């Protein structure tokens, strides 16, 4: 397992790795705009422009022990293989996986074996299809395929198929909300004490992050995203997270920067002692 200078330009000392940022450039089933395999590199590059001192929270990430690991995984099979080999090596820290497409999440949940968890799913789309374009492991099925690992609360979701509405009506394992509100907060409260956070960047309004595969207007504001992080990290033990589906565009540095900053805001809360 090779660590390099990476997220935020930091390099963790060998003895102190509290956070593993793992890059996962998997792109197998993208259905609209392509390029999410380039997201980890674009996010790492943008992250080097972020101040290590977080003015909003007062937390300083200097020396926090953030190790960036290139999984080298281009396919879901390669990701599963990497996690089987390296799970023990990264078990001591918090995991933040940077995709790549959303189909990586159920593979992570299966291989990391987090035990009893709830799942917080920030996304524009329900991702609850049984199969999409003939592919049961498509990004459009990622939430459905994650349900065996824990009950789920989806937030920011504003694009749902008729079939998914029927499934939601028949399942007590998943609740979805278009906005972040008291009802959504209560639903998170009903999840187990340990949760996994999956952030699809299209959950955020495209006025903030436009470079995604399927941009949907009307998403979460920046303040709402930070409130969700505050709520989850304060009220739950977050066992790990992923951040997926950016499709970087060289002419749109704001999207890559906002994506990097969103990850930074979450990791700030981990380092502040509100993670696992
Ligand atoms: Mn998604």
């Amino acid at each position: 397992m090779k660590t390099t200078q990476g997220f935020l330009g930091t390099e963790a000392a060998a003895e102190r790795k509290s956070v593993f940022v793992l890059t996962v450039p998997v792109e197998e089933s993208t259905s609209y705009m392509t390029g999410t395999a380039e997201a980890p590199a674009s996010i790492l590059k943008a992250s080097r422009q972020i101040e290590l001192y977080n003015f909003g929270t007062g937390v300083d990430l200097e020396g926090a022990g953030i190790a960036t690991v290139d999984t080298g995984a281009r396919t879901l099979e390669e990701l599963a293989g990497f996690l089987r080999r390296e799970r023990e090596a990264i078990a001591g820290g918090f995991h933040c996986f940077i995709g790549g497409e959303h189909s990586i999440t159920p593979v992570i949940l299966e291989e990391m074996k987090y035990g009893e968890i709830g799942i917080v799913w920030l996304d524009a789309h329900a991702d609850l299809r049984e199969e999409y374009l003939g592919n049961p492991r498509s990004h459009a099925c990622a939430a459905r395929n994650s349900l065996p690992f824990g009950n789920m609360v989806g937030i920011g979701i504003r694009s749902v198929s008729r079939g998914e509405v029927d499934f939601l009506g028949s399942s007590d394992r998943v609740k979805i909300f278009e906005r972040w509100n008291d009802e959504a907060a209560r639903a998170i409260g009903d999840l187990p004490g340990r949760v996994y956070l999956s952030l699809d960047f299209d959950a955020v309004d495209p006025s903030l992050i436009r470079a995604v595969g399927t941009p949907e207007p009307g998403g979460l504001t920046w303040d709402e995203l930070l409130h969700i992080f505050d709520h989850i990290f304060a009220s739950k033990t977050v066992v790990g997270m992923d951040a997926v589906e950016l499709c970087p565009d060289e002419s749109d540095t704001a999207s890559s920067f906002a994506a990097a900053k969103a990850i930074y805001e979450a990791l700030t809360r981990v380092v502040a002692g509100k993670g696992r």
Side-chain angles (χ1 to χ4, degrees):
M1 191 175 70
K2 201 165 141 258
T3 64
T4 55
Q5 200 204 42
F7 194 70
L8 303 175
T10 60
E11 191 172 4
E15 69 280 7
R16 184 146 188 264
K17 297 190 182 77
S18 61
V19 174
F20 291 95
V21 172
L22 300 115
T23 58
V24 190
V26 168
E27 181 164 13
E28 289 187 348
S29 68
T30 316
S31 50
Y32 187 27
M33 295 300 289
T34 59
T36 195
E38 308 305 322
S42 180
I43 288 170
L44 291 186
K45 186 176 171 202
S47 76
R48 291 175 195 135
Q49 306 305 317
I50 299 174
E51 291 286 355
L52 288 172
Y53 173 69
N54 186 318
F55 182 62
T57 61
V59 175
D60 197 335
L61 295 183
E62 177 79 50
I66 298 174
T68 302
V69 177
D70 179 8
T71 69
R74 292 254 160 206
T75 66
L76 296 174
E77 285 313 315
E78 287 171 5
L79 173 60
F82 172 87
L83 294 174
R84 278 179 215 134
R85 283 194 308 277
E86 303 291 352
R87 190 170 75 90
E88 294 298 316
I90 61 174
F94 180 87
H95 318 116
C96 175
F97 296 90
I98 303 181
E101 63 177 50
H102 215 161
S103 52
I104 67 173
T105 307
V107 176
I108 292 164
L109 294 175
E110 175 157 19
E111 299 300 338
M112 291 306 297
K113 307 189 193 314
Y114 289 117
E116 195 199 351
I117 55 166
I119 302 165
V120 178
W121 196 272
L122 308 183
D123 205 316
H125 313 93
D127 289 354
L128 286 168
R129 285 177 152 93
E130 210 166 358
E131 56 97 28
Y132 189 60
L133 305 176
N135 179 4
R137 298 182 88 188
S138 164
H139 64 96
C141 314
R144 181 74 167 256
N145 292 335
S146 297
L147 282 180
F149 306 100
N151 286 358
M152 180 181 291
V153 173
I155 305 168
I157 294 171
R158 52 208 187 272
S159 172
V160 187
S161 73
R162 176 66 68 91
E164 289 173 314
V165 170
D166 293 342
F167 175 73
L168 283 159
S170 70
S171 173
D172 56 5
R173 293 182 65 81
V174 51
K175 290 199 176 84
I176 66 167
F177 301 89
E178 191 168 350
R179 308 280 349 156
W180 171 237
N181 53 30
D182 290 347
E183 210 189 334
R186 276 196 295 276
I188 288 177
D190 290 339
L191 291 174
R194 302 167 72 251
V195 300
Y196 181 88
L197 171 63
S198 186
L199 169 63
D200 187 322
F201 288 115
D202 64 27
V204 177
D205 191 83
S207 62
L208 294 163
I209 301 181
R210 179 176 288 265
V212 291
T214 317
E216 290 277 349
L220 300 173
T221 66
W222 191 253
D223 277 357
E224 285 172 333
L225 183 69
L226 297 189
H227 280 149
I228 292 169
F229 288 167
D230 282 338
H231 182 77
I232 298 170
F233 284 95
S235 66
K236 301 287 181 183
T237 300
V238 183
V239 297
M241 67 175 286
D242 58 57
V244 298
E245 297 282 349
L246 186 77
C247 284
D249 172 350
E250 266 181 50
S251 66
D252 178 9
T253 49
S255 287
S256 294
F257 191 81
K261 189 115 196 221
I263 295 168
Y264 159 84
E265 291 291 350
L267 295 185
T268 297
R269 286 152 179 84
V270 173
V271 170
K274 307 235 170 90
R276 63 180 256 157

